[in-house]
Amino acid sequence: MAIPVTYNLRNLVVRKTTTLMTALGIALTVAVLLAMMALLAGLRATLSASGDPLQIVVMRKGSESELVSNFTRTQFQDLKFKVGIARARNGDPMASLEVVTVINLPSLDAPDGNNVTLRGLSPIGVEMRPGLKISAGRWFETGKRQVVVGKSIAQRYPGAALGKRLTFGRGDWDVVGVMDAGQTAQNSEIFADLNQVSSDLQREDVLSSALVRATDTVTAAALVKSINDDQRLNMNAVSEKEYYALQTVSARPIEFLGVFVSIIMAIGSSFAAMNTMYAAVARRAREIGTLRVLGFSRGSILFSFFLESVLLAGLGGVLGCLLAFFALNGKATGIGSTTFSELAFAFRVTPQIMLAGILFATILGAVGGLFPARMAARKEILVALREV
Amino acid sequence: MFRYLPLIVKNCWRNRRRTTLTIVSIGVSMCLLGVLIAVYHALYLSDATPDQAMRVVTRNRISLTVPIPLFYRDRIRQVPGVKEIMSSQWFNGVYKDARDPKNFFARFGVDPPDKLFTIYGELKIPEDQKQAFIRDRTGTVIGRDLANKFNFHLGDRITLIGDIYPGTLELTVRGIFDSPRQSEMLYFNWAYVREGLSESRKGEVGTFDILCDDAGVVPRVANAIDDGFRNSPVETRTETEQAFLRSFVGMLGNVKLFLISICAAVMFTILLVSGNTMAMSVRERVREVGVLKTLGFTGGNILFIILGEACAISIAGGAIGFLLSTFLTGGVKKSPAGMFLPPIQRFDPSVASACILVALGIGLISSFIPAWNASRTTIVEALRSTD
């Protein structure tokens, strides 16, 4: 017969200071783990929202990122007329030659400056990204030193707000608009006119990459294959979705650190939980004896104390989730990406993550509670009753 | 005061299991704290090494990825205080298969190659290997860590397929150098790549690594270089090597805030663990406190004994934690991040004292409330306690 759960709950309430302190310790451990997971979830959400399944990023063979890629105008002319590329309303192929570089801007977090992606593109490139909406100001004009900045850039870099001027290349560039790219990575980019950027950076002929749009999903896969197999082009094509998905590797160092920190903290917390449970067992020796006299088996004593430890840790887990949720959810942050520039996104404390946090806490409690529970179960009735 | 020491030690040891668990728990957390403090210290508080303090790096003001003209080299060499200058270019490229991150290591093209070991005086290489590298245009020198990782030997071939730059490099290992830092690095003669470049790209490089006459002139040299190119089409930014490397760490995100918030969380956890133990331990002993008081111990004595016990436990935990952390710090140094971190010392007195101080502080704060309450309990109340 099992000992009622209310027995455990009431015991936890009676020792509320100890319960709360142990639970808070576990809560902090869980919160650290959740912070790391929320960071990754935010990054993944941004990257998976970025990219259109119909669109293909074309880079030089061997390049894995637009930043290190090279693309000449002649190559672009060869690419543009490949079979399977969709046509714009005016009949032009939907292919955009782009130049990608990074510029250094001082931000709120980093006064010394962070790298930000600058993308030079032609009107067709803007047209191919229908998800982009101008939220303030207007688009840049071709042939002028004007830029449109992503929403996150406008927020995080005071020098890049609407109406400000940025200095790079051969002169000052006016910030004429702010674009809202929904949840996507383009919020962390600056857009400007292709020819103006390339001439300012002395890259008139050698640009970075191309974006092409296929007519439908089946053609998209075929187009990727045909570009990759084309010996004359010598290009590396990946679907835009896949290109962004690959960038999750930029979170590896943080993922590694987060796991490392959580594990060490978990060891510390499970010892603390063990301590609390040992104290509980020691103080309730007579109670344990009484329970045995009443006919509860060793097994149910073991289970009861084990359950109490799990409940205690579970409480910690819930507190940790609340802490992480209220402190972090939706908070904007940025990390360095494989494109050598900052990618901004928001922490996302999702229900799945919170569930994982609570699970982590209960495992921690289970580890901490096992030995004290075994000790409680092994007590001899007479000895237990005699203890003070 | 110290005559109470034996009593404190005895009290610590009365519940061995609890004390051991607490010390282990604090020790594990302090170990983490030790690593974080060591990294923080190395990143933001340590001075540059004597070699580093004499070097500055010049790059394009727009960003590191935008090149600067090669002819700047001759103009910078004229700046008073500049001793040696070498251009350095990140080659990137693909070794075997770029999708496997294991194949990633730093590849730099330098020019002129004979300046490499003059500017980076801390890189140690046998003289004959150095000469062989300088003579062979397709030669390369690699760090000891890289050589060990791929089992490269002198005379081996390393093939790099260009991505930022065209062409395939067939390099021959001419030397293996030792570095105080993580050294998964490869240096080769940039002239080898330059041959195959278009006219416009021949005249471009990534950065200039500059050795100054001495550490004192560094700020002046840095300003003089940047002032010299102000308002020219390509402006420069010159910073100390330490600041340059730190900016790479900054690219990961807001590392400073990250470190501080984890440290705070860890410290608070230890505080809770230690506070909890002391509260439990004092609660069990209320009657004993009454007995001590009957024997003539004052409230102050009781306070001291309990605070002392907490400090002894947390300092023991702190010391164990710090010793454990020295092993982990060694691991951080060997990790890929070690390339950008300033050399982290395994045993740094200031990190050690920071750990012990934190432990002491935690001991005091965590036990203050139970100790204060115990010291104020009246004899009758204490003796009557049934807890």
Side-chain angles (χ1 to χ4, degrees):
Chain A
M1 190 171 62
I3 300 169
V5 183
T6 40
Y7 168 74
N8 303 109
L9 287 176
R10 289 175 72 172
N11 263 313
L12 288 175
V13 175
V14 167
R15 300 174 293 131
K16 46 182 173 301
T17 333
T18 312
T19 303
L20 211 63
M21 281 175 106
T22 316
L24 267 180
I26 294 171
L28 282 170
T29 308
V30 171
V32 168
L33 178 76
L34 291 195
M36 187 271 293
M37 289 173 78
L39 188 98
L40 286 178
L43 178 72
R44 290 211 178 99
T46 299
L47 291 175
S48 67
S50 309
D52 185 321
L54 286 185
Q55 298 195 156
I56 298 160
V57 181
V58 188
M59 291 166 293
R60 199 192 136 98
K61 198 121 228 130
S63 304
E64 299 289 323
S65 122
E66 289 177 286
L67 190 73
V68 299
S69 166
N70 280 312
F71 211 120
T72 62
R73 285 183 194 266
T74 339
Q75 286 171 312
F76 181 63
Q77 292 307 323
D78 292 340
L79 172 76
K80 210 166 148 183
F81 297 105
K82 279 228 158 242
V83 181
I85 294 178
R87 298 273 164 170
R89 254 168 280 144
N90 62 4
D92 285 347
M94 290 188 95
S96 161
L97 181 63
E98 303 184 352
V99 58
V100 177
T101 186
V102 296
I103 58 171
N104 203 272
L105 286 180
S107 78
L108 294 172
D109 290 347
D112 288 339
N114 255 335
N115 286 330
V116 174
T117 302
L118 169 73
R119 188 183 292 274
L121 68 178
S122 46
I124 188 91
V126 176
E127 201 184 312
M128 284 170 70
R129 294 176 170 92
L132 295 181
K133 301 273 180 293
I134 285 288
S135 60
R138 56 179 174 81
W139 280 108
F140 56 85
E141 290 169 40
T142 49
K144 288 194 175 158
R145 289 204 174 91
Q146 296 178 340
V147 298
V148 168
V149 300
K151 196 173 59 176
S152 310
I153 302 271
Q155 283 161 4
R156 291 169 66 81
Y157 298 85
L162 189 64
K164 292 278 170 74
R165 294 190 136 190
L166 304 177
T167 308
F168 61 87
R170 290 176 180 163
D172 288 343
W173 298 65
D174 289 310
V175 180
V176 296
V178 177
M179 57 187 176
D180 183 347
Q183 293 292 319
T184 66
Q186 256 91 44
N187 277 327
S188 312
E189 293 191 356
I190 297 179
F191 279 19
D193 177 43
L194 173 72
N195 294 327
Q196 193 62 49
V197 172
S198 59
S199 76
D200 261 42
L201 296 176
Q202 291 162 296
R203 289 181 70 166
E204 282 93 345
D205 197 50
V206 184
L207 299 132
S208 303
S209 59
L211 186 69
V212 296
R213 188 177 184 87
T215 44
D216 54 76
T217 42
V218 181
T219 329
L223 194 55
V224 167
K225 198 172 168 342
S226 101
I227 296 172
N228 280 331
D229 291 347
D230 192 328
Q231 295 290 333
R232 193 174 44 112
L233 275 176
N234 199 24
M235 290 288 161
N236 171 27
V238 278
S239 103
E240 203 186 4
K241 272 241 154 316
E242 202 182 321
Y243 177 77
Y244 284 106
L246 284 172
Q247 291 196 20
T248 39
V249 296
S250 48
R252 283 269 170 76
I254 289 178
E255 193 174 3
F256 174 76
L257 248 171
V259 169
F260 172 75
V261 168
S262 307
I263 288 178
I264 294 196
M265 284 183 77
I267 298 174
S269 303
S270 67
F271 275 116
M274 205 183 280
N275 227 343
T276 306
M277 288 315 293
Y278 268 126
V281 172
R283 284 181 49 173
R284 280 165 28 204
R286 268 195 288 184
E287 242 172 79
I288 294 168
T290 315
L291 286 170
R292 291 290 308 284
V293 171
L294 289 176
F296 289 103
S297 67
R298 282 178 197 275
S300 43
I301 302 270
L302 179 88
F303 181 71
S304 175
F305 274 88
F306 182 72
L307 188 70
E308 192 168 322
S309 174
V310 171
L311 283 173
L312 175 67
L315 176 70
V318 173
L319 287 177
C321 287
L322 291 176
L323 193 70
F325 186 79
F326 288 108
L328 290 178
N329 198 29
K331 203 165 175 277
T333 185
I335 65 162
S337 68
T338 45
T339 53
F340 218 58
S341 57
E342 196 192 49
L343 179 65
F345 56 90
F347 280 101
R348 273 170 65 103
V349 186
T350 61
Q352 289 95 319
I353 287 178
M354 290 202 262
L355 207 65
I358 292 174
L359 193 72
F360 177 69
T362 49
I363 292 173
L364 214 149
V367 172
L370 200 60
F371 291 100
R374 204 179 58 163
M375 187 176 89
R378 281 189 177 170
K379 278 193 192 301
E380 292 302 322
I381 299 181
L382 277 179
V383 181
L385 285 174
R386 242 184 243 140
E387 268 180 47
V388 278
Chain B
M1 285 301 229
F2 285 99
R3 61 199 164 117
Y4 298 126
L5 220 52
L7 191 59
I8 291 176
V9 174
K10 267 244 148 41
N11 271 335
C12 285
W13 214 229
R14 62 190 284 153
N15 191 332
R16 280 172 218 182
R17 184 170 51 218
R18 180 164 63 217
T19 308
T20 317
L21 281 175
T22 312
I23 290 180
V24 173
S25 172
I26 293 179
V28 171
S29 307
M30 281 301 288
C31 155
L32 180 59
L33 201 62
V35 177
L36 295 175
I37 293 177
V39 171
Y40 191 90
H41 180 262
L43 269 179
Y44 301 108
L45 301 173
S46 65
D47 295 325
T49 58
D51 293 306
Q52 271 190 326
M54 284 165 62
R55 288 194 292 260
V56 291
V57 179
T58 300
R59 62 165 169 90
N60 190 311
R61 206 172 72 91
I62 301 172
S63 101
L64 186 60
T65 55
V66 184
I68 41 176
L70 181 62
F71 71 82
Y72 278 19
R73 188 169 64 187
D74 297 324
R75 281 181 58 187
I76 293 173
R77 201 177 280 133
Q78 308 302 320
V79 174
V82 171
K83 197 170 174 185
E84 299 286 1
I85 178 168
M86 166 184 92
S87 74
S88 164
Q89 176 63 52
W90 176 254
F91 178 74
N92 208 58
V94 178
Y95 176 67
K96 284 183 184 167
D97 181 1
R99 273 163 300 182
D100 185 355
K102 279 202 184 64
N103 290 328
F104 179 81
F105 51 88
R107 300 135 194 174
F108 287 101
V110 295
D111 180 37
D114 56 313
K115 296 284 182 257
L116 175 65
F117 294 99
T118 322
I119 294 176
Y120 292 93
E122 72 269 35
L123 304 182
K124 298 285 174 247
I125 186 167
E127 187 58 32
D128 55 325
Q129 294 184 9
K130 181 175 141 188
Q131 293 307 329
F133 167 59
I134 293 167
R135 275 196 306 272
D136 183 0
R137 186 170 261 240
T138 62
T140 173
V141 281
I142 58 177
R144 179 75 57 199
D145 292 343
L146 183 65
N148 292 343
K149 184 174 172 186
F150 292 103
N151 200 19
F152 287 140
H153 299 284
L154 292 183
D156 282 1
R157 291 270 170 150
I158 300 177
T159 306
L160 296 175
I161 300 161
D163 49 7
I164 308 178
Y165 295 94
T168 298
L169 297 187
E170 290 275 353
L171 299 166
T172 315
V173 178
R174 291 294 174 211
I176 297 172
F177 61 85
D178 288 290
S179 164
R181 270 189 252 169
Q182 196 264 21
S183 61
E184 284 187 12
M185 312 184 104
L186 177 153
Y187 290 104
F188 63 92
N189 189 342
W190 186 247
Y192 182 22
V193 172
R194 191 181 299 128
E195 286 168 357
L197 293 178
S198 65
E199 280 308 314
S200 65
R201 292 184 86 186
K202 270 185 185 163
E204 293 178 336
V205 282
T207 58
F208 290 117
D209 297 358
I210 298 158
L211 181 73
C212 299
D213 286 336
D214 61 77
V217 300
V218 160
R220 199 172 49 75
V221 169
N223 285 330
I225 294 172
D226 290 350
D227 287 344
F229 298 110
R230 190 137 299 148
N231 297 320
S232 65
V234 179
E235 294 191 15
T236 60
R237 174 154 164 179
T238 305
E239 50 198 348
T240 63
E241 188 185 285
Q242 201 186 15
F244 180 74
L245 290 175
R246 201 181 283 162
S247 71
F248 280 92
V249 179
M251 266 175 226
L252 278 180
N254 195 341
V255 178
K256 210 173 195 172
L257 181 74
F258 184 76
L259 285 177
I260 291 178
S261 41
I262 294 186
C263 279
V266 173
M267 272 197 258
F268 200 66
T269 315
I270 307 175
L271 198 65
L272 289 167
V273 170
S274 165
N276 203 5
T277 310
M278 284 319 290
M280 284 190 295
S281 139
V282 171
R283 207 180 302 124
E284 275 170 21
R285 299 210 291 256
V286 184
R287 260 196 290 189
E288 203 178 292
V289 170
V291 174
L292 285 176
K293 283 198 169 173
T294 334
L295 293 174
F297 283 76
T298 63
N301 295 147
I302 306 276
L303 188 72
F304 177 79
I305 290 171
I306 297 176
L307 289 182
E309 184 181 334
C311 290
I313 292 178
S314 60
I315 287 176
I320 291 175
F322 173 72
L323 290 179
L324 282 177
S325 80
T326 54
F327 293 103
L328 288 179
T329 320
V332 173
K333 196 176 162 182
K334 286 278 160 211
S335 76
M339 219 183 307
F340 304 114
L341 291 174
I344 302 177
Q345 278 168 6
R346 265 197 160 191
F347 188 88
D348 191 319
S350 49
V351 175
S353 45
C355 281
I356 300 297
L357 273 181
V358 167
L360 183 70
I362 283 172
L364 286 176
I365 298 171
S366 66
S367 62
F368 189 77
I369 293 174
W372 181 251
N373 287 341
S375 72
R376 307 227 322 176
T377 330
T378 59
I379 297 180
V380 178
E381 236 178 276
L383 289 176
R384 216 185 261 154
S385 163
T386 50
D387 220 358

